[in-house]
Amino acid sequence: NAGVTQTPKFQVLKTGQSMTLQCAQDMNHNSMYWYRQDPGMGLRLIYYSASEGTTDKGEVPNGYNVSRLNKREFSLRLESAAPSQTSVYFCASTESGLPYEQYFGPGTRLTVT
Amino acid sequence: KNEVEQSPQNLTAQEGEFITINCSYSVGISALHWLQQHPGGGIVSLFMLSSGKKKHGRLIATINIQEKHSSLHITASHPRDSAVYICAVKPYWGRGGAAGNKLTFGGGTRVLVKP
């Protein structure tokens, strides 16, 4: 049971480049989330997905797109990276319904120069 | 003002000391989470609670719903407890599904335990 996995672990992009961050979970969770973590800002929700084929904006969605490919996978795409998107990105998953524990991936450290 | 405030922001303790981290929130909640993040590491859930007190090993979490306050205590602290501790709340929006499980996070408390 790998839990929540993310790839890549580290990435450096130039301004304007695009990339996709991958996330997968093997716990059969319905709900998945993408967060960014910046110094002094705490974790902020970018997008979330209640189930396959459904996505919703979170607190800071601008500059990002997401795809819930199937129940296991939830990807985050930066179409045209900007230095302001330098951050650590975490994917998380949880059951739907009652308040359930969220399980986090190991994070992707992204630097945009 | 942030919906979730943690104090202190930074804390240094000697090994063996008792540590307390506080979390105050301003919204109605259905659950509160305490998370741990080691330097350069991922985020691990320590506790999820909606009332009373929970204990796991040397860690104790309490919550007072009326006062909108929670504390995380570390007894007999050890250098391996050095980490950032994050409080997060699940606001009570009365909805289920992924929206209902959205969390609002505090800024974290950086704990350093010296040997």
Side-chain angles (χ1 to χ4, degrees):
Chain A
N1 221 358
V4 181
T5 57
Q6 290 182 236
T7 56
K9 283 191 169 45
F10 300 93
Q11 183 73 45
V12 179
L13 290 179
K14 289 184 165 45
T15 297
Q17 288 185 318
S18 63
M19 78 161 294
T20 299
L21 281 64
Q22 306 287 354
C23 173
Q25 51 90 10
D26 62 2
M27 296 172 282
N28 205 36
H29 287 164
N30 286 313
S31 305
M32 298 184 74
Y33 307 80
W34 274 107
Y35 298 97
R36 59 177 290 171
Q37 184 180 41
D38 303 293
M41 300 289 289
L43 284 152
R44 291 181 292 169
L45 182 64
I46 305 171
Y47 271 94
Y48 64 99
S49 168
S51 60
E52 182 180 349
T54 303
T55 61
D56 282 291
K57 293 179 181 179
E59 187 184 349
V60 288
N62 291 345
Y64 304 94
N65 285 301
V66 290
S67 294
R68 183 74 182 269
L69 305 167
N70 47 54
K71 193 169 187 181
R72 287 189 66 248
E73 297 171 292
F74 187 36
S75 62
L76 179 72
R77 182 159 178 85
L78 287 70
E79 290 291 352
S80 179
S84 61
Q85 294 177 305
T86 293
S87 187
V88 181
Y89 291 86
F90 288 96
C91 177
S93 72
T94 184
E95 289 289 354
S96 302
L98 291 173
Y100 284 108
E101 184 177 334
Q102 283 201 10
Y103 293 84
F104 288 82
T108 295
R109 188 173 295 274
L110 174 67
T111 302
V112 183
T113 61
Chain B
K1 188 180 188 300
N2 291 338
E3 289 182 339
V4 182
E5 297 276 358
Q6 287 185 237
S7 64
Q9 286 188 316
N10 295 283
L11 185 158
T12 300
Q14 288 297 132
E15 183 173 356
E17 287 185 343
F18 182 86
I19 291 171
T20 296
I21 302 166
N22 297 298
C23 175
S24 297
Y25 52 92
S26 57
V27 297
I29 69 168
S30 56
L32 182 143
H33 298 247
W34 280 103
L35 310 168
Q36 181 191 56
Q37 184 176 26
H38 279 106
I43 298 169
V44 175
S45 179
L46 297 174
F47 296 103
M48 183 179 67
L49 62 166
S50 54
S51 65
K53 177 179 172 178
K54 286 191 176 181
K55 184 175 190 289
H56 181 68
R58 295 179 294 104
L59 301 177
I60 303 167
T62 64
I63 188 168
N64 185 319
I65 295 291
Q66 286 73 31
E67 294 187 3
K68 292 188 167 62
H69 181 269
S70 175
S71 293
L72 176 68
H73 306 287
I74 306 174
T75 63
S77 59
H78 189 276
R80 64 175 174 266
D81 297 324
S82 297
V84 175
Y85 293 84
I86 302 168
C87 171
V89 301
K90 177 190 172 306
Y92 181 72
W93 302 122
R95 295 171 62 187
N101 270 316
K102 285 195 292 182
L103 298 178
T104 301
F105 296 85
T109 296
R110 188 173 300 274
V111 172
L112 174 63
V113 181
K114 294 183 175 180

